[in-house]
Amino acid sequence: MKSAPTSLDRLRAEIEHRNPAQPEFHQAVREVLETLAPVLEARPEYAEPGLVERLVEPERQIIFRVPWQDDHGRVHVNRGFRVEFNSALGPYKGGLRFHPSVNLGIIKFLGFEQVFKNALTGLGIGGGKGGSDFDPRGRSDAEVMRFCQSFMTELHRHIGEHTDVPAGDIGVGGREIGYLFGQYRRITNRWEAGVLTGKGAGWGGSLIRPEATGYGNVLFAEAMLRERGEDLEGQTVVVSGSGNVAIHAVRKLAALGANPVTCSDSGGYVVDEKGIDVELLQQIKEVERGRVSDYAQRRGASARFVPVERGRVWEVPADVALPSATQNELGEDDAATLVRNGVKAVSEGANMPTTPQAVRLLQQAGVAFGPGKAANAGGVAVSALEMAQNASRTAWPAERVERELARIMTDIHTTCAQTAERYGAPGDYVTGANIAGFERVADAMLAQGVV
């Protein structure tokens, strides 16, 4: 006999009806709602003022046209987005993504995840996300500059250090942040360092910010292993992606004695038996803007490239896996392969890179699973530390920032583990992260009234 739908079931159906053709947003909301029933039962005050209904609806959704000229004088028109999801804990905070796959549903999913991620850091930041379907790959610096200037010409009226503080994400690195900041300064006639994070260290940025997401994910993975009496030393690790997060995850893994043996991009993946040479990878991807296939050619006999049509990075046997590329890159079949090969822990470096079916399979197999809203919170944590440095017009030494990052990631792990235990789901970091983040945001929303 089928059970009657609960209020959360009805809310989920309403969300899917009101937000059609946004599967990633539906997926992100569903994952959170599925864990909230015990919280609403234990604390009925959360259910009364339509709190959950308000939490899943963005406070503001902004869509705008971005016209720009390429080097040949041709005019292109892209679409820009900023979803300001929740500001109960502080100004909206979240990255900008420039990628052809960007649409409103993607930005809403990322913004919703960001609300919980930012809450878990314990810092005073709300959640938001933005971006465009512009593809910076293959574009000259001048073309990227013109696009960023056009994008900021509209975005500037919606952001500010006390309102909304964007940062980088896929396709938006130091180059793009520089062009965006320059245009903001030009339009507003203000040196408002706190309006963007991920800036250059010489003009208001924080040391360790480029490394923070990758470093933080590795620290979270190690914390999960320590719960089981192990650490990363000597462990073989598969890492997907070859962008900022993956590169610095590889760097931190090697520093902690692990052996990261893979990296990937849209063309395929590389296996390097000696361990990924992070300096070579960084030169190819961040300086030359090349492909991982170039890495294999230049690395020598220890490395081989596997094209995307011939295999997946998750087929490489490993003790730990760090999906660090993009959403839904690790599916159920991939999870089954990882389990067969003896994986002990999976920690998400990207946002929602593991499908719900894969998450369930990993958890059922006893694999420690770190969800992105907890495991990859290091980037936004150091962004908030950058905001603190900007507010006091100081620059902290790298050692202090890295020490703060380690403390925050340890606190997030402890919070998730203790919350899961408190609600009868020991070892379930998904439940722990969702509930802990929800409680922090919900308490602030209750205190501030129906707004």
Side-chain angles (χ1 to χ4, degrees):
M1 183 176 177
K2 193 173 181 179
S3 59
T6 66
S7 60
L8 290 176
D9 292 331
R10 290 190 292 271
L11 176 58
R12 188 176 71 187
E14 180 184 345
I15 290 165
E16 293 178 359
H17 175 71
R18 293 181 66 191
N19 301 273
Q22 297 179 6
E24 295 85 4
F25 179 53
H26 299 167
Q27 179 182 336
V29 171
R30 188 182 310 119
E31 182 215 87
V32 171
L33 294 184
E34 285 174 350
T35 60
L36 291 188
V39 190
L40 298 180
E41 185 177 341
R43 299 188 62 180
E45 67 270 23
Y46 287 154
E48 292 175 4
L51 191 146
V52 180
E53 289 82 353
R54 286 185 284 138
L55 182 59
V56 299
E57 183 69 21
E59 293 176 10
R60 191 172 293 106
Q61 302 178 57
I62 302 153
I63 304 176
F64 52 95
R65 182 180 66 195
V66 189
W68 60 282
Q69 279 187 305
D70 65 22
D71 290 339
H72 304 286
R74 289 189 292 264
V75 174
H76 301 259
V77 179
N78 287 98
R79 185 172 286 177
F81 303 89
R82 189 67 181 173
V83 173
E84 297 173 335
F85 221 106
N86 189 287
S87 58
L89 293 175
Y92 309 104
K93 186 82 193 76
L96 297 170
R97 174 177 294 192
F98 292 170
H99 191 272
S101 66
V102 166
N103 56 45
L104 182 59
I106 294 283
I107 298 300
K108 285 169 69 175
F109 125 64
L110 292 167
F112 184 72
E113 287 279 294
Q114 200 77 41
V115 173
F116 297 86
K117 181 189 303 186
N118 293 0
L120 286 171
T121 68
L123 304 169
I125 44 178
K129 206 75 176 184
S132 174
D133 55 4
F134 170 74
D135 189 354
R137 288 189 305 172
R139 294 296 179 183
S140 69
D141 287 350
E143 288 174 326
V144 172
M145 181 186 71
R146 287 192 290 271
F147 173 82
C148 289
Q149 289 176 341
S150 181
F151 184 86
M152 182 54 79
T153 297
E154 174 59 31
L155 184 67
H156 85 277
R157 65 188 85 240
H158 306 291
I159 63 176
E161 63 180 318
H162 302 298
T163 305
D164 185 353
V165 183
D169 193 74
I170 293 172
V172 179
R175 174 183 62 172
E176 290 77 14
I177 292 293
Y179 294 148
L180 291 165
F181 183 81
Q183 185 71 351
Y184 183 86
R185 181 173 61 83
R186 178 191 205 179
I187 293 170
T188 63
N189 194 33
R190 291 198 303 269
W191 179 272
E192 190 181 331
V195 71
L196 288 167
T197 58
K199 301 182 295 297
W203 48 280
S206 175
L207 296 173
I208 308 299
R209 176 59 189 91
E211 298 90 344
T213 307
Y215 279 18
N217 187 31
V218 172
L219 293 170
F220 195 90
E222 183 166 60
M224 291 195 299
L225 288 173
R226 281 180 179 156
E227 283 285 304
R228 301 179 174 213
E230 298 189 55
D231 58 31
L232 279 168
E233 187 170 0
Q235 308 277 12
T236 299
V237 185
V238 290
V239 180
S240 68
S242 52
N244 178 69
V245 177
I247 286 170
H248 293 297
V250 166
R251 189 185 303 280
K252 192 65 170 177
L253 286 164
L256 293 176
N259 186 30
V261 294
T262 67
C263 60
S264 68
D265 60 22
S266 59
Y269 70 90
V270 164
V271 184
D272 190 336
E273 296 173 2
K274 291 184 178 178
I276 296 295
D277 180 338
V278 71
E279 302 302 334
L280 176 59
L281 179 62
Q282 193 165 18
Q283 171 67 24
I284 289 170
K285 297 300 291 190
E286 295 189 348
V287 178
E288 301 171 16
R289 302 190 185 277
R291 312 297 288 165
V292 297
S293 55
D294 302 328
Y295 172 94
Q297 290 176 354
R298 287 158 62 174
R299 177 64 163 153
S302 70
R304 62 186 174 90
F305 173 69
V306 180
V308 67
E309 61 271 12
R310 294 187 185 175
R312 295 175 61 74
V313 69
W314 313 117
E315 296 167 5
V316 178
D319 304 301
V320 177
L322 304 182
S324 304
T326 192
Q327 65 267 9
N328 291 327
E329 59 170 301
L330 197 164
E332 188 173 16
D333 291 344
D334 302 317
T337 300
L338 287 170
V339 170
R340 281 196 303 273
N341 287 335
V343 74
K344 303 170 187 175
V346 175
S347 191
E348 294 187 320
N351 291 300
M352 206 172 71
T354 314
T355 67
Q357 298 84 358
V359 173
R360 281 193 291 272
L361 193 154
L362 291 167
Q363 290 179 322
Q364 289 166 1
V367 175
F369 180 79
K373 61 172 62 73
N376 70 31
V380 76
V382 174
S383 276
L385 300 180
E386 182 175 328
M387 292 164 66
Q389 294 169 71
N390 294 158
S392 58
R393 299 202 182 278
T394 58
W396 299 352
E399 295 78 12
R400 177 178 177 184
V401 180
E402 193 160 0
R403 191 166 59 247
E404 286 293 309
L405 171 63
R407 178 189 62 78
I408 290 168
M409 295 310 299
T410 298
D411 288 348
I412 291 173
H413 175 269
T414 301
T415 297
C416 293
Q418 290 179 348
T419 303
E421 183 88 30
R422 180 158 48 95
Y423 281 95
D428 185 343
Y429 292 99
V430 175
T431 294
N434 287 342
I435 293 178
F438 171 78
E439 287 182 325
R440 288 178 176 174
V441 177
D443 286 342
M445 291 176 69
L446 281 178
Q448 295 168 29
V450 179
V451 295

